Amino acid sequence: MVANFKSQLTLIIRAMYSNPPAHGSRIVDTVLKDPAMYQEWRDCIKIMADRIINMRSGLRERLEKLGTPGNWNHITDQIGMFSYTGLSPAQSEFLVKEKHIYLLKSGRISMCGVTPGNIDYVAASIYEAVTSIKSAPLCSSPAVMKKPIKIVVTGAAGQIAYSLLYQIGSGYVFGNDQPLILHLLDIGPMMGVLNGVVMEIQDSALPLVRDVIATDDASIAFNDIDAAFLVGAMPRRDGMERKDLLAANVKIFKVQGQAMEKFAKKSVKVLVVGNPANTNALICSHYAPSIPKENFSAMTRLDQNRAASQLAMKAGAKVQDVKKVTIWGNHSSTQFPDAAHALINGKPAVGLINDEDWIQNQFIPIVQKRGGAVIAARKLSSAMSAAKAACDHMKSWFQGTPSDDWVSMGVFSDGSYSTPAGVMFSFPVTIQGGKWSIVQGLVMSEFAKEKLAETGKELCEERDEAMAVCKA
């Protein structure tokens, strides 16, 4: 009986789906041939598409505002009526059973079901799923979940970039599920060396690296980029005056800033590594006025890593147990490495070390002059450690800081802690959803205030000299 029933049902189904009714085709034919009906159809499609785009943007914005763990770029990077949320089967099941939000176990959800009336509820429910179902990791399939992001590295044939590129391509910085397209920029005479670097990236067989573009053309290098590591810069040579150094770097960062202004995404995150990093970042931002100032930063993470390492060695602790170390001011010998708020295994570092003379007369100068010590020892500037610090900086910016720690970044000063506004000053910051915030309310000793004033004065002098060159 079952077999006979199935055979008859199969015939009915085959006749229905293999030979669809002709009236559907006639409707399409009528609409496409009538200009007015065709335009009305296009208008309806546009309304539908715009609504879905708006819901994608709104959902991502709400998830990031809630501080939902993870990177939610894929919500707006994807297109169409459905979205792969990146939620695990357990998290998806929680939404279905507990929140009555219906999606597949793969995390695939219909964006048509997200409306202005329920979008806040959907975002809050996803936040609850991600934060409460912690044993279930986010979906890690880059092929399904995320499209590649474009990363530019300047000075890409140099020694810092040589250590930097593998770490970027490995997934350490942007996540193990984030495909990448690498844009490598250097000057014309270095293109032969740069092509060798490209070969090495190819030979490393990094699964996340989808393409590598090597060029000496800034318009190509900065086209549609999501993040920039500005490593290439004019180094200070013996006998070189600061104004000459700044003049040389204005030429470099003017070109790169203008290229970003024309070709980069306005959401691009820019890290300046090449020294003088703080003022180079200021120059670059000056020539890219349509990109928000908070999207530019200078690297003081190397100084923070150096400071954390010194404290760990002094206390006989692991470096990963050192938290809340701060670098204030300029990435120069006037910087202020601050251990006053640092913790080692949750306890005040100053109390554990119990040696104020060491902190003021050894720890601070060691960190301030570490770059020179490395050059004296290896006859070359820091490369491996600088590359690691650049990766740490950008990783924190994209993936956020832990709830019990902060990091040091050179950012545009808003006058916090009586620092000069408008210079690129290193502060302790926390980061959530790709947005940094200066840590407020820290108690500063008179000694610390003097150090901040000293490094702030130097930054003001550099800014004034750089702007004078820009206007010349």
Side-chain angles (χ1 to χ4, degrees):
M1 176 67 76
V2 173
N4 292 338
F5 177 80
K6 181 180 179 182
S7 68
Q8 295 304 306
L9 189 61
T10 300
L11 290 173
I12 294 171
I13 292 172
R14 182 176 296 279
M16 182 180 295
Y17 290 103
S18 297
N19 298 282
H23 63 263
S25 298
R26 293 193 184 108
I27 291 172
V28 172
D29 181 65
T30 300
V31 170
L32 295 182
K33 287 181 177 178
D34 186 307
M37 294 179 69
Y38 176 68
Q39 186 57 49
E40 182 180 356
W41 173 73
R42 286 181 61 90
D43 291 342
C44 290
I45 292 293
K46 182 71 165 56
I47 291 170
M48 180 185 71
D50 287 346
R51 195 193 75 79
I52 291 175
I53 291 170
N54 290 336
M55 289 300 99
R56 285 183 179 277
S57 298
L59 181 59
R60 176 184 169 185
E61 179 182 339
R62 285 163 173 80
L63 289 171
E64 292 177 344
K65 188 173 182 180
L66 288 168
T68 312
N71 188 323
W72 297 97
N73 293 353
H74 56 280
I75 298 294
T76 51
D77 288 343
Q78 297 169 16
I79 59 174
M81 297 171 62
F82 296 90
S83 177
Y84 285 94
T85 59
L87 299 176
S88 70
Q91 292 163 343
S92 300
E93 186 178 9
F94 170 84
L95 290 177
V96 172
K97 291 185 176 181
E98 301 297 329
K99 300 296 181 180
H100 304 289
I101 296 174
Y102 299 100
L103 68 165
L104 300 181
K105 287 185 178 181
S106 63
R108 185 172 181 257
I109 192 171
S110 172
M111 290 306 300
C112 296
V114 182
T115 70
N118 66 21
I119 190 170
D120 291 315
Y121 176 77
V122 172
S125 298
I126 292 175
Y127 172 83
E128 186 175 345
V130 173
T131 55
S132 62
I133 315 295
K134 294 184 179 178
S135 61
L138 293 176
C139 171
S140 60
S141 173
V144 172
M145 194 173 125
K146 295 182 177 180
K147 73 175 187 179
I149 60 174
K150 296 181 179 181
I151 313 300
V152 66
V153 177
T154 72
Q159 58 169 344
I160 293 177
Y162 193 75
S163 295
L164 175 67
L165 289 167
Y166 175 80
Q167 295 181 68
I168 295 173
S170 72
Y172 171 77
V173 180
F174 300 101
N176 294 322
D177 59 349
Q178 179 59 69
L180 308 168
I181 296 174
L182 299 177
H183 291 200
L184 310 184
L185 176 68
D186 216 309
I187 58 176
M190 296 300 294
M191 290 306 295
V193 176
L194 188 56
N195 288 333
V197 174
V198 173
M199 292 182 211
E200 291 228 54
I201 295 173
Q202 294 168 341
D203 295 348
S204 296
L206 298 165
L208 293 172
V209 177
R210 298 298 172 82
D211 195 10
V212 183
I213 300 169
T215 181
D216 60 356
D217 186 338
S219 65
I220 295 173
F222 289 97
N223 185 46
D224 203 31
I225 56 166
D226 297 277
F229 293 81
L230 305 188
V231 180
M234 172 66 75
R236 192 167 191 166
R237 300 191 177 98
D238 288 341
M240 181 180 279
E241 295 292 332
R242 186 171 64 187
K243 64 179 180 180
D244 297 326
L245 176 66
L246 290 171
N249 278 296
V250 163
K251 294 178 182 178
I252 296 170
F253 287 91
K254 176 181 179 179
V255 170
Q256 295 179 3
Q258 290 173 333
M260 271 190 277
E261 174 73 8
K262 291 181 181 179
F263 303 108
K265 292 179 179 177
K266 301 308 177 186
S267 58
V268 63
K269 291 178 170 61
V270 182
L271 167 61
V272 177
V273 177
N275 288 321
N278 297 58
T279 301
N280 286 342
L282 187 77
I283 295 167
C284 196
S285 173
H286 176 76
Y287 286 103
S290 69
I291 297 174
K293 289 186 179 298
E294 58 266 26
N295 288 22
F296 290 85
S297 65
M299 189 175 81
T300 55
R301 190 62 169 268
L302 176 55
D303 307 302
Q304 177 189 318
N305 289 349
R306 288 166 171 167
S309 178
Q310 291 297 318
L311 293 174
M313 288 190 292
K314 182 66 175 178
K318 298 176 182 176
V319 72
Q320 61 265 35
D321 295 329
V322 181
K323 300 182 184 299
K324 297 187 175 179
V325 180
T326 304
I327 304 297
W328 300 90
N330 201 3
H331 176 61
S332 72
S333 59
T334 68
Q335 67 175 264
F336 174 42
D338 186 6
H341 308 283
L343 302 175
I344 301 177
N345 285 313
K347 299 178 181 178
V350 172
L352 283 175
I353 292 172
N354 195 28
D355 189 342
E356 187 66 24
D357 179 72
W358 178 83
I359 289 176
Q360 291 197 9
N361 297 312
Q362 294 188 54
F363 165 71
I364 292 175
I366 286 173
V367 177
Q368 289 175 329
K369 300 174 182 177
R370 189 68 163 185
V374 170
I375 292 173
R378 68 186 296 260
K379 312 308 177 190
L380 294 168
S381 60
S382 302
M384 178 172 59
S385 58
K388 170 61 164 53
C391 289
D392 289 343
H393 178 118
M394 198 67 84
K395 179 181 180 181
S396 295
W397 205 351
F398 270 77
Q399 301 189 33
T401 51
S403 59
D404 62 346
D405 202 2
W406 61 59
V407 296
S408 297
M409 285 175 60
V411 298
F412 272 96
S413 172
D414 61 356
S416 293
Y417 298 98
S418 300
T419 58
V423 299
M424 191 68 66
F425 199 98
S426 181
F427 291 98
V429 302
T430 57
I431 306 169
Q432 293 296 330
K435 305 291 185 182
W436 53 263
S437 300
I438 297 173
V439 176
Q440 299 292 344
L442 298 179
V443 177
M444 307 295 287
S445 67
E446 289 303 317
F447 175 78
K449 291 176 182 178
E450 291 175 4
K451 291 295 183 182
L452 263 65
E454 179 184 354
T455 192
K457 179 176 180 292
E458 180 183 56
L459 281 169
C460 287
E461 292 171 353
E462 285 189 12
R463 176 194 60 191
D464 294 343
E465 290 181 17
M467 289 301 104
V469 173
C470 290
K471 294 174 182 177

